[in-house]
Amino acid sequence: MRITTWNVNSIRTRVDRVIAFLERSGTDVLAMQEIKCKPEQFPAQAFEEAGYHVAVHGLNQWNGVAVASRLPIVEVRQEFPAQPTWGDPAVVEARALGVTVEDEAGQRTTVWSLYVPNGRELDNPHYPYKLEWLAALRAEAKMWLEADPNARIALVGDWNIAPFDHDVWDMAAFEGATHVSEAERAAFFAFAEDGWAEVTRERVDNYTYWDYQKLRFPKNEGMRIDFIYASPALAEAVRSAEIDRNERKGKGASDHVPVIVDVD
DNA sequence: ATGGCCCGCTCAGCGGGA
């Protein structure tokens, strides 16, 4: 089974490109972030015609997550329990969608499509929101592992954190910025303490994001911020991982590229 | 080469992205 996560930066703008990727890559389950639309605006028909079921969680033009699957979807969860709110009035944003699929043998796999808050600046309220969001997710996810140690669960998406200095092109450019702070990195690595394994790091070395501005892509000035954390049972089944850098090329590209894993 | 911001919403300017 091939699982891909991709921050598509508006599905309505990019639907043809996403469908072409699905067919070319042979992805079975695609977790999307930043779909930037409501469910009724999601181009579901294009996915269905390509042979995919879809689950969509979107409130407005901000954020939004979705999952497309060739395997039947047997359970969908919008938000995770105790997901922190943002704004006034307080809203549980569309940043998490848990989809369970079932293969021909009856084996179930749950993929959480996650769009971690950006944080904006270190002195912006969005930054503590980001840290609280990650801590709340960690607490919930730990309970999922405890409830079923053999569960196949993937926490995938745009984590908006560069865990290591070499995950950005130049640390000097991130002096005092979010994405590289010690607190964010600690929040990211904390998942590993509970048994989650980030399964792409040891198999592929590349950035997953290049800013649209300042010729970041031609200069290969990118960031590695999209990751796949797997439960112990799923991590054991991972066979390979890829980052499809070619998807950043050409007109009409998202600023993120697909991150792919193959699991037995 | 892979190219100099791009998205949605509302209509020219802005909030958000990282």
Side-chain angles (χ1 to χ4, degrees):
Chain A
M1 175 167 58
R2 172 161 279 202
I3 301 171
T4 298
T5 182
W6 192 5
N7 179 323
V8 296
N9 186 20
S10 170
I11 189 57
R12 286 179 290 175
T13 296
R14 219 134 357 250
V15 59
D16 291 347
R17 201 166 171 140
V18 172
I19 298 293
F21 166 79
L22 283 176
E23 296 183 332
R24 182 177 69 254
S25 68
T27 290
D28 296 296
V29 181
L30 174 66
M32 291 165 270
Q33 300 86 39
E34 281 211 271
I35 62 168
K36 292 187 169 177
C37 68
K38 302 173 188 176
E40 60 267 31
Q41 298 173 309
F42 189 91
Q45 192 179 335
F47 284 85
E48 286 156 8
E49 286 171 359
Y52 290 80
H53 311 277
V54 294
V56 181
H57 180 30
L59 302 176
N60 47 43
Q61 72 268 40
W62 308 121
N63 318 307
V65 281
V67 171
S69 173
R70 293 207 280 214
L71 298 172
I73 293 172
V74 295
E75 187 179 353
V76 176
R77 279 169 287 174
Q78 295 190 353
E79 310 165 4
F80 57 84
Q83 184 178 323
T85 60
W86 172 253
D88 183 16
V91 173
V92 178
E93 296 184 303
R95 294 179 176 274
L97 180 69
V99 171
T100 303
V101 302
E102 187 172 284
D103 68 16
E104 300 79 0
Q107 177 173 247
R108 294 188 170 196
T109 306
T110 297
V111 176
W112 277 91
S113 181
L114 304 169
Y115 181 41
V116 176
N118 174 294
R120 300 180 186 168
E121 296 89 30
L122 296 179
D123 60 355
N124 188 300
H126 212 253
Y127 180 71
Y129 168 53
K130 179 180 194 173
L131 297 177
E132 289 161 15
W133 201 96
L134 286 161
L137 175 62
R138 179 195 177 188
E140 289 298 330
K142 185 178 184 182
M143 287 193 278
W144 301 337
L145 291 186
E146 289 168 350
D148 181 2
N150 296 315
R152 290 162 57 98
I153 308 172
L155 310 178
V156 312
D158 179 356
W159 290 76
N160 267 322
I161 298 168
F164 295 102
D165 287 357
H166 62 268
D167 291 332
V168 299
W169 77 93
D170 180 9
M171 274 300 287
F174 288 82
E175 183 71 36
T178 59
H179 294 66
V180 299
S181 72
E182 286 309 309
E184 287 163 282
R185 288 175 169 179
F188 181 83
F189 289 124
F191 285 79
E193 296 170 21
D194 299 334
W196 299 97
E198 204 294 308
V199 294
T200 68
R201 171 76 62 186
E202 65 192 48
R203 295 177 172 88
V204 60
D205 179 21
N206 214 331
Y207 297 131
T208 64
Y209 163 91
W210 296 261
D211 199 299
Y212 287 121
Q213 304 186 59
K214 300 182 181 175
L215 289 168
R216 292 298 187 211
F217 184 58
K219 294 173 171 173
N220 197 29
E221 296 178 342
M223 303 172 71
R224 186 172 190 167
I225 54 178
D226 299 87
F227 296 100
I228 296 178
Y229 264 120
S231 64
L234 188 63
E236 203 275 329
V238 172
R239 289 294 160 254
S240 62
E242 294 174 40
I243 293 172
D244 190 353
R245 187 180 185 281
N246 287 331
E247 271 299 336
R248 185 63 180 80
K249 298 179 181 178
K251 221 174 150 51
S254 170
D255 42 4
H256 294 251
V257 296
V259 178
I260 304 162
V261 290
D262 285 316
V263 302
D264 289 339

